Amino acid sequence: MTEVNRPDWDSALARARAESPFLARALDRQPELAELLGAGDAEKALEWVHLQGEGAKDVAVSLRRQRLALSTALGVGDLAGAFSLNRVMHELSDFADFALDCAIANAIRSRVDGAEPKGFSALALGKQGARELNYSSDIDPILLFDPDTLPRRDRDDPGEAAARYASHVVKALSETTADGFVFRVDLRLRPAAEVTPPAISFGAAQSHYQSSALAWERAAFIRARAASGDIAAGEQFLDRIRSFVWRTQLDFGAIEEIRRLTAQIRFNYTGPQRPGPGFDLKKGRGGIREIEFYAQTHQMIHGGRDPAVRVKGTRAALNALAKAGRIESEEAELLGQSYDRLRVIEHRLQMMHDRQTHSLPDGEALNAVARLDGLCDGVELVQELEGLTDAVGTVYDRLIGEETSSPVAVPDGSHFESWLEELGFAEPGKLAKRIDGWRDGRYQSLRSPQAIEAFDTVLPDLISAFADADDSERALIRWESLLERASSAINLFHFLAARPSHLRRLVNALSVAPTLADELGRRPELLDILIDSVAQEMPDGVDPIINRMESHAARDDYEAQLDCIRRVTGEMRFALGIQLVENLHDPLDIARALSRTAEAAVSVAAHSTAAEFAQSHGQIPGGELAIIGLGRLGGGVLTHASDLDMIYLFSGSFEAESDGPKPLGATLYFNRLAMRVSAALSVPTAQGALYEVDTRLRPQGNQGPLAVSIDAFGKYQREAAWTWEHMALARARVLVGSAAVRKQLDEIIGEVVCKSRDPRELRKNVLSMRGEMARHKLARGPLDVKLLRGGLVDIEFLVHYLQLRDGAGNRDIVDPDLGEALERLTEADLVSDALLVAHGLMTRILVAGRLLAPDGAMPPAAAANALAKACRASNMAELLHSLAVARQSVAKSWADVFEQELEID
């Protein structure tokens, strides 16, 4: 649509309502906006858009409302021809800047009231940096901070404060709520993303870019822009690294690397090669990315000596390069027009369902996209794209050059591809190119000549192991993830070359367990566990684990103590994962060992933090911090993905005061100490993250203080707690506290759980809670044994109901270990043996599934086989049959106990 054409609002609205489910719903939700658009008043529509955040309860809601309104107005205006492609992209990009700025300011002010975001900057990269965002684009900011000027509380470490702000920003923008989302935020373009926190200091970033950054990072910074937060500080940083991006002398090594990178775009794309269903407008041959990389490659080569080509937008860059005589004008015009048209079609695809997609659909969905664009059908759209992408692809072919697409040098010479075919790989040519790509500098672990030499030594055995794996493609993907995340891997390569049998164990783990593969990528030193026979044994208690955690760090070095907790916990969790994958132990035993590990970590963290806290604030005479574990932690059966459900309490008088240099009242003292313990368990350190801590089960939930006195806890549980809180208390177990405090808490818990209740009122409350939960928490897949009806949640409700109903007359049935409680209930003839069997089976599936089928869906064949074996079944079909029988057993028990049918789908 040219500027002289009059906008056709009636046609645009009709197409939007008929062909785009997203725009149709959005127009129905915003009748005022629909009326403005129907009247053809584009600018008033945009004014209305920017008012939609007013009166919202918080920034997140405000931004989501504005984002929906903006997407609707721009979408219809685009279809009508009222807004040019540039106007659409600029409006979206400006809103991204605004949203990021609001999220940063809100994150900081939520912790430091009234503070300005001084010293915290967001650099926009990618399409946001170039002001070329699409309808459903990610944003790829780099978050930087100045430790000296960053607003924070006095006790906050600058790095931890910045990381907290970054996490707040990501959640505020990315989380999907009832109002939708704002932008998905991808922070992986930051320096050394595999090892750095989400926000890094200006100094650390500058050091990285001036010493160890790669060519692709230079390319990324061509479009970098200080967009949000402290923009002045961001601009100063970009000035300081300008010489990194724009080099005055040609770097022939970098140019060759650029050529290789551009070739990899083509080689790594595995979708359809020509337009049609499944073709990717962004990654496919002749697509959007090839045009962008064409422009950026020439900018990198010439921009150091020619400031005129240092522009950010793709079309602007092509025009500047042509004007400067760096590329042919005809090529610039062809690529520029093709880029604009591809971006328009990309927008049409994303308008359909507000999803970040670039792939053409098939059938009627493709026709709908074409009609939305004003074409007759999908055939016409595909025909247009064929001519367009062929022309772009031909230009891009010349950039890559024939030599970069020739067979690559590999360990077995020219016979390597044939060898891959003999090993049974389906597409040996593609795999050969893929393996060569591992050496192209993208992975920090494979950048030095020494690393490449060591890698080439192990490569033949590695490829053979992949060929023998049950799921070789999955193993390859996770191996690449390991290479990407590991900062150095020379020792890894030497280790694997010397121990081929352990290499096969590694490949097996990579094949079936993504959690273990990710952990290996973060900490390659965990491979030592594969050759450590002790690591294959089960930990025999909490105290030996505590001793391990306390024995490797000086008691006066608090940070070293936290690192030690993380290191030992990570090693034990990884070892237990390997044991589970290799079916060395029952998943129930693995779960208990994971719980003992977590209990040790909580104990050491609590005592270390209390000692460090006392250095400033002293101690409360007669008072101590106590911690109760609930849920799976309280029951002593954790999985690799479990949070830690905890309640913090304190003994002694709340009127007491600490005796240190900076005295605090007891309530404030223990609340601050509890916060520090939670941080010790959850905030990442040099050794990584540890656990997510969930304290929502404390008295009054998130509305109440983090730590309350034991007396207040007892009073609340006796007089004010809800039924669900008493159910949670049925799995409560004291993790931290002196013998006297443990005794006091055990008495309170026993008294509350076992008090007499009205059975009818209890039944009503329990069924109401379960019904509400069932409506809002749906099972994610056929193996989500926790949330499936007839699953573990239903067993938990059954057990806790019986414990609360009959505990007054039979205290033996009250045990925080759900398996033990079920045995007592069986002995008391309150449930059948079948329920105990069902609980054991489902718990095994849950524990093993957190590694082998983490999303609750059916896993690939290799992981499914491992899951079946771990759960004592010969194959997956047998396991699924056993699960179906178990769910029916739960349904029968439910009907027997509650006199209510439980629908099993």
Side-chain angles (χ1 to χ4, degrees):
M1 187 73 66
T2 64
E3 294 294 328
V4 296
N5 294 133
R6 291 190 62 182
D8 188 346
W9 292 98
D10 290 340
S11 172
L13 285 164
R15 282 180 284 142
R17 291 188 182 278
E19 310 298 349
S20 168
F22 164 67
L23 287 177
R25 289 193 302 269
L27 288 166
D28 289 342
R29 288 179 60 181
Q30 302 166 104
E32 282 186 70
L33 178 57
E35 184 176 348
L36 288 171
L37 295 172
D41 201 333
E43 298 307 321
K44 279 192 176 179
L46 288 180
E47 291 175 8
W48 186 89
V49 164
H50 297 303
L51 296 175
Q52 294 318 293
E54 295 184 356
K57 62 181 180 180
D58 58 32
V59 167
V61 173
S62 171
L63 292 175
R64 280 158 176 76
R65 291 177 181 172
Q66 290 181 71
R67 190 263 181 185
L68 176 64
L70 183 65
S71 296
T72 310
L74 292 179
V76 176
D78 183 0
L79 294 174
F83 299 139
S84 67
L85 173 65
N86 273 346
R87 175 75 183 275
V88 171
M89 294 190 300
H90 287 179
E91 289 284 350
L92 290 167
S93 302
D94 290 347
F95 177 67
D97 293 356
F98 169 76
L100 192 53
D101 194 69
C102 290
I104 290 171
N106 185 60
I108 293 174
R109 289 169 186 160
S110 67
R111 193 154 181 87
V112 184
D113 190 36
E116 295 298 321
K118 185 174 178 58
F120 193 93
S121 302
L123 304 182
L125 276 72
K127 285 184 169 61
Q128 183 189 0
R131 298 185 76 209
E132 294 176 337
L133 277 186
N134 55 46
Y135 276 101
S136 191
S137 182
D138 289 353
I139 58 174
D140 304 280
I142 293 178
L143 303 180
L144 304 172
F145 70 94
D146 181 351
D148 296 327
T149 61
L150 180 72
R152 64 186 192 281
R153 296 179 182 177
D154 291 341
R155 67 175 181 276
D156 287 349
D157 173 81
E160 291 180 1
R164 184 182 291 110
Y165 297 154
S167 297
H168 193 290
V169 167
V170 172
K171 182 178 180 181
L173 298 181
S174 299
E175 187 175 52
T176 300
T177 70
D179 296 296
F181 68 96
V182 188
F183 290 100
R184 289 169 290 268
V185 182
D186 188 341
L187 300 179
R188 289 177 294 177
L189 292 184
R190 69 186 186 276
E194 66 277 1
V195 295
T196 56
I200 64 174
S201 70
F202 285 109
Q206 183 174 342
S207 176
H208 170 82
Y209 292 124
Q210 292 176 343
S211 62
S212 58
L214 296 174
W216 71 263
E217 292 177 283
R218 287 179 59 195
F221 267 86
I222 288 174
R223 299 191 287 179
R225 179 169 56 84
S228 307
D230 191 340
I231 293 178
E235 290 174 340
Q236 291 170 8
F237 173 79
L238 291 175
D239 286 341
R240 291 196 297 271
I241 65 166
R242 182 179 290 113
S243 60
F244 153 70
V245 182
W246 306 113
R247 298 183 179 177
T248 55
Q249 293 182 332
L250 285 178
D251 182 339
F252 292 98
I255 291 173
E256 186 54 36
E257 186 175 354
I258 294 166
R259 291 169 59 84
R260 191 178 302 171
L261 283 169
T262 58
Q264 287 302 318
I265 294 175
R266 181 78 56 78
F267 296 151
N268 288 340
Y269 174 65
T270 59
Q273 295 301 308
R274 295 184 61 79
F279 180 79
D280 192 310
L281 295 178
K282 179 178 178 180
K283 300 177 183 177
R285 182 181 184 275
I288 293 168
R289 181 175 283 178
E290 291 192 356
I291 300 173
E292 293 173 341
F293 225 100
Y294 181 94
Q296 292 165 28
T297 298
H298 285 90
Q299 285 180 288
M300 287 182 68
I301 293 172
H302 304 293
R305 291 175 294 176
D306 187 353
V309 304
R310 300 177 190 175
V311 294
K312 291 178 171 59
T314 301
R315 190 74 190 265
L318 291 168
N319 292 339
L321 288 164
K323 185 176 181 180
R326 305 300 181 180
I327 61 175
E328 296 294 330
S329 297
E330 293 79 7
E331 285 191 352
E333 185 65 16
L334 183 152
L335 294 175
Q337 290 183 0
S338 299
Y339 182 77
D340 287 353
R341 182 59 179 147
L342 285 168
R343 291 301 307 274
V344 167
I345 298 172
E346 174 192 51
H347 287 180
R348 302 294 182 261
L349 282 173
Q350 296 178 351
M351 285 178 193
M352 300 299 291
H353 301 287
D354 192 28
R355 294 175 185 162
Q356 188 196 25
T357 182
H358 305 90
S359 296
L360 297 178
D362 57 10
E364 182 55 29
L366 180 61
N367 291 332
V369 173
R371 290 193 296 266
L372 185 66
D373 188 57
L375 302 177
C376 292
D377 54 29
V379 173
E380 185 178 358
L381 176 60
V382 168
Q383 287 176 344
E384 179 185 5
L385 286 171
E386 285 178 342
L388 189 155
T389 56
D390 278 345
V392 171
T394 300
V395 174
Y396 195 70
D397 289 341
R398 292 195 290 270
L399 174 67
I400 296 174
E402 293 181 358
E403 65 275 21
T404 56
S405 59
S406 60
V408 293
V410 290
D412 206 22
S414 60
H415 303 294
F416 184 69
E417 193 171 320
S418 299
W419 179 58
L420 292 176
E421 187 172 12
E422 291 172 6
L423 288 173
F425 289 103
E427 297 181 290
K430 285 187 177 180
L431 180 57
K433 293 172 183 175
R434 181 175 176 181
I435 293 168
D436 184 66
W438 297 348
R439 301 184 185 83
D440 67 2
R442 75 184 71 181
Y443 302 132
Q444 183 176 343
S445 58
L446 269 173
R447 291 177 187 169
S448 70
Q450 297 87 344
I452 292 175
E453 181 181 356
F455 172 71
D456 286 345
T457 301
V458 75
L459 186 58
D461 286 331
L462 180 67
I463 299 303
S464 294
F466 285 137
D468 293 337
D470 290 338
D471 191 339
S472 57
E473 176 59 25
R474 187 171 293 264
L476 279 163
I477 290 171
R478 289 173 183 160
W479 168 258
E480 289 168 335
S481 176
L482 191 156
L483 291 177
E484 180 181 6
R485 293 168 181 263
S487 57
S488 175
I490 293 177
N491 290 336
L492 163 62
F493 301 144
H494 286 315
F495 163 76
L496 294 177
R499 299 172 179 84
S501 62
H502 290 94
L503 187 151
R504 293 180 183 276
R505 292 182 69 198
L506 167 63
V507 170
N508 181 51
L510 294 175
S511 298
V512 301
T515 301
L516 298 183
D518 290 345
E519 192 63 20
L520 266 178
R522 287 188 290 270
R523 298 182 58 196
E525 66 273 14
L526 290 172
L527 284 165
D528 292 345
I529 290 170
L530 294 177
I531 60 172
D532 184 358
S533 59
V534 175
Q536 298 177 27
E537 300 174 358
M538 297 292 289
D540 55 5
V542 174
D543 288 341
I545 305 174
I546 290 176
N547 292 337
R548 281 187 62 189
M549 292 178 177
E550 292 181 336
S551 61
H552 298 293
R555 291 190 176 276
D556 60 350
D557 188 341
Y558 180 61
E559 295 301 326
Q561 289 174 346
L562 298 188
D563 281 342
C564 193
I565 295 171
R566 281 158 172 72
R567 184 175 66 253
V568 172
T569 301
E571 290 171 357
M572 297 197 67
R573 284 160 60 95
F574 183 80
L576 291 166
I578 293 294
Q579 292 172 27
L580 192 152
V581 167
E582 296 187 350
N583 198 25
L584 298 178
H585 298 287
D586 188 329
L588 297 182
D589 293 330
I590 298 289
R592 295 184 183 100
L594 287 168
S595 184
R596 290 194 291 272
T597 302
E599 185 175 347
V602 171
S603 177
V604 176
H607 289 106
S608 299
T609 303
E612 194 268 346
F613 192 74
Q615 293 180 13
S616 297
H617 302 290
Q619 296 179 327
I620 298 288
E624 64 177 274
L625 184 71
I627 301 177
I628 292 177
L630 299 101
R632 294 204 160 274
L633 177 62
V637 183
L638 288 183
T639 74
H640 277 83
S642 293
D643 293 345
L644 302 186
D645 294 306
M646 303 196 308
I647 294 176
Y648 292 103
L649 305 170
F650 61 89
S651 63
S653 171
F654 66 87
E655 296 178 343
E657 187 176 81
S658 66
D659 56 10
K662 299 177 181 178
L664 298 171
T667 299
L668 181 58
Y669 179 98
F670 285 112
N671 271 272
R672 287 191 179 178
L673 176 55
M675 289 175 61
R676 294 285 295 273
V677 174
S678 287
L681 290 167
S682 59
V683 174
T685 71
Q687 289 293 325
L690 195 57
Y691 294 104
E692 290 291 327
V693 175
D694 190 339
T695 58
R696 290 174 296 177
L697 292 175
R698 68 186 186 267
Q700 300 178 12
N702 288 336
Q703 305 303 314
L706 186 59
V708 300
S709 71
I710 293 175
D711 290 341
F713 171 76
K715 179 179 175 62
Y716 175 84
Q717 291 293 343
R718 295 183 189 101
E719 300 176 5
W722 295 69
T723 299
W724 66 265
E725 292 176 284
H726 288 173
M727 291 172 65
L729 212 60
R731 276 197 285 175
R733 183 164 57 94
V734 184
L735 305 178
V736 174
S738 65
V741 163
R742 288 173 183 263
K743 183 175 183 295
Q744 184 182 3
L745 286 171
D746 285 340
E747 289 174 353
I748 292 173
I749 293 168
E751 174 193 346
V752 171
V753 173
C754 296
K755 74 175 185 178
S756 296
R757 292 174 171 83
D758 180 347
R760 289 173 299 180
E761 185 67 19
L762 177 64
R763 177 183 179 277
K764 175 185 173 183
N765 290 341
V766 170
L767 291 177
S768 173
M769 286 184 289
R770 182 62 185 113
E772 187 72 12
M773 186 176 181
R775 284 189 291 274
H776 292 93
K777 291 189 176 182
L778 302 178
R780 296 180 298 169
L783 293 175
D784 188 351
V785 293
K786 178 179 178 180
L787 293 176
L788 284 170
R789 292 315 307 260
L792 285 170
V793 169
D794 287 319
I795 294 176
E796 291 169 4
F797 270 73
L798 267 170
V799 171
H800 296 328
Y801 168 74
L802 293 172
Q803 288 173 323
L804 296 184
R805 189 191 73 180
D806 296 348
N810 183 4
R811 296 201 169 204
D812 287 343
I813 66 174
V814 178
D815 192 304
D817 183 324
L818 214 62
E820 294 290 333
L822 272 166
E823 287 191 13
R824 304 290 85 78
L825 290 168
T826 302
E827 293 168 359
D829 204 27
L830 292 171
V831 296
S832 68
D833 291 339
L835 192 62
L836 180 61
V837 173
H839 175 262
L841 173 67
M842 292 186 198
T843 304
R844 288 185 178 92
I845 295 175
L846 179 74
V847 175
R850 288 294 187 251
L851 289 182
L852 301 169
D855 57 359
M858 288 296 296
N865 185 50
L867 178 61
K869 289 181 179 178
C871 297
R872 302 177 175 178
S874 57
N875 53 51
M876 200 64 194
E878 180 184 323
L879 179 61
L880 291 174
H881 174 73
S882 298
L883 175 58
V885 171
R887 293 175 65 197
Q888 291 296 336
S889 298
V890 176
K892 184 178 185 307
S893 294
W894 188 275
D896 291 341
V897 171
F898 288 115
E899 299 179 343
Q900 179 192 75
E901 293 299 318
L902 186 66
E903 294 185 8
I904 304 295
D905 51 23

